[in-house]
Amino acid sequence: QVHVVESGGGSVQAGGSLSLSCAASGRTGTRFRMGWFRQAAGKEREFVAAISWSGDNTYYTDSVKGRFTISRDGAENTIFLQMNSLKPEDTAVYYCAVSEFGHAANYARTIDYDYWGQGTQVTVPS
């Protein structure tokens, strides 16, 4: 079983920045493709960003391109999401996701991931 733990989040004024972290443990010697999703109140969970197991490839949903940056620790299954120029529409619970069995070409659907964190709230008041 892979254990996924997020940290970070909070509340920040529009235009501000926040950083999220996520650590996955439970598979010694295995590096995972990992990603971030978010779910606003009353809406479906949506893809935000993903990063390949090597860190060489990153993917973003259009609404966060140029504002958010996903990165990973080179040696560990730890990823980060740096969020700049935050907007009220970024308000959501952010979830870290880990893909152990998914195909490398698929990264933007919830079904592409096998393990999830508990979520962390990000609030940007309007």
Side-chain angles (χ1 to χ4, degrees), residues 13 29-30 68 115:
Q13 294 299 312
T30 301
F68 291 11
Y115 309 103

Side-chain angles (χ1 to χ4, degrees), residues 49-110:
I51 188 165
S52 62
W53 67 267
S54 66
D56 290 342
N57 299 300
T58 57
Y59 312 91
Y60 299 91
T61 192
D62 286 346
S63 63
V64 308
K65 285 180 180 177
R67 300 189 298 121
F68 291 11
T69 302
I70 188 170
S71 61
R72 70 184 302 151
D73 184 298
E76 303 292 335
N77 286 309
T78 299
I79 65 170
F80 310 94
L81 186 68
Q82 178 63 40
M83 304 182 292
N84 299 327
S85 302
L86 282 160
K87 304 175 181 180
E89 50 264 44
D90 294 318
T91 295
V93 177
Y94 283 69
Y95 295 91
C96 180
V98 175
S99 176
E100 182 175 21
F101 305 108
H103 193 282
N106 300 322
Y107 56 83
R109 307 172 301 174
T110 57

Side-chain angles (χ1 to χ4, degrees), residues 35-55:
W36 291 97
F37 285 71
R38 65 187 180 187
Q39 188 167 17
K43 296 186 177 181
E44 293 187 353
R45 193 169 298 188
E46 65 172 1
F47 171 73
V48 176
I51 188 165
S52 62
W53 67 267
S54 66

Side-chain angles (χ1 to χ4, degrees), residues 3-56:
H3 190 50
V4 183
V5 178
E6 302 116 335
S7 59
S11 181
V12 66
Q13 294 299 312
S17 299
L18 284 173
S19 180
L20 306 180
S21 300
C22 172
S25 60
R27 292 282 190 273
T28 303
T30 301
R31 298 182 72 189
F32 303 114
R33 182 172 75 256
M34 298 175 68
W36 291 97
F37 285 71
R38 65 187 180 187
Q39 188 167 17
K43 296 186 177 181
E44 293 187 353
R45 193 169 298 188
E46 65 172 1
F47 171 73
V48 176
I51 188 165
S52 62
W53 67 267
S54 66
D56 290 342

